[in-house]
Amino acid sequence: MTYADLFYEFKGKFMGADVSDIKEHLAFQFNIEDEQAGGAFYVEVKDGTLYVEPYEYYDRDAIFICAPDVLFAIADGKMDPVAAFTAQKLRVEGSIEKALRLKEIIDLKKGDEKSIGKKAVDKVVNTVVKTAAKKASKEVSPKGKKMSE
């Protein structure tokens, strides 16, 4: 696996997370230690939007340093980031308080996988209601009587 493969796979796993309720700015850099797939990228939450980009982030809150298998185990929810840190499979530099927020983002991602989420349900309901309203308005004549009567 190359760095580009690793980055795009990780980005695909995280971009489904609904972080719209997170109003705090969070910036995490991930340094991946691997001879073939090593490199750095960042995850940022800004104004309720998630960004995952293949660059170093110098104004970061925390840096996570780990091997690719640890990164994917955490991203897939198979390994708790706190447990990975305790087992010394994940090193953290910077604000531990902000670093703990990574788990929140992972949990939001996992919640999206288990169900389509409240916002998605609301969007579907609104679309159905609008479609039904349009259909109903087409079936009613200008005098307010149904065309089929």
Side-chain angles (χ1 to χ4, degrees), residues 2-144:
T2 67
Y3 166 77
D5 295 334
L6 179 139
F7 169 74
Y8 285 111
E9 186 173 339
F10 182 84
K11 183 174 182 172
K13 290 178 183 295
F14 267 79
M15 289 311 292
D18 178 6
V19 297
S20 60
D21 290 338
I22 300 175
K23 300 304 177 195
E24 177 183 7
H25 180 262
L26 300 171
F28 305 125
Q29 180 172 311
F30 290 83
N31 290 353
I32 308 307
E33 295 181 326
D34 187 73
E35 285 187 27
Q36 292 180 336
F41 62 89
Y42 73 88
V43 173
E44 178 184 30
V45 177
K46 182 178 180 182
D47 298 325
T49 303
L50 180 71
Y51 302 92
V52 180
E53 298 298 334
Y55 311 109
E56 289 188 41
Y57 195 101
Y58 294 106
D59 193 22
R60 60 199 168 242
D61 298 309
I63 300 174
F64 298 97
I65 306 159
C66 63
D69 60 326
V70 173
L71 175 70
F72 285 114
I74 291 170
D76 290 336
K78 295 177 182 174
M79 181 182 291
D80 182 80
V82 176
F85 175 78
T86 305
Q88 299 180 349
K89 293 182 178 189
L90 174 68
R91 293 190 320 269
V92 180
E93 296 175 3
S95 170
I96 297 297
E97 181 182 332
K98 292 234 181 171
L100 290 169
R101 302 290 304 270
L102 175 66
K103 184 164 175 27
E104 182 180 345
I105 296 169
I106 292 168
D107 290 344
L108 289 169
K109 181 188 74 66
K110 285 187 348 189
D112 288 344
E113 291 172 357
K114 291 180 182 176
S115 67
I116 60 174
K118 183 184 181 329
K119 289 186 179 187
V121 169
D122 289 345
K123 186 175 180 179
V124 170
V125 168
N126 287 336
T127 302
V128 169
V129 168
K130 286 178 184 176
T131 303
K134 282 183 183 178
K135 186 176 180 183
S137 69
K138 288 180 182 176
E139 292 178 357
V140 176
S141 71
K143 294 180 182 177

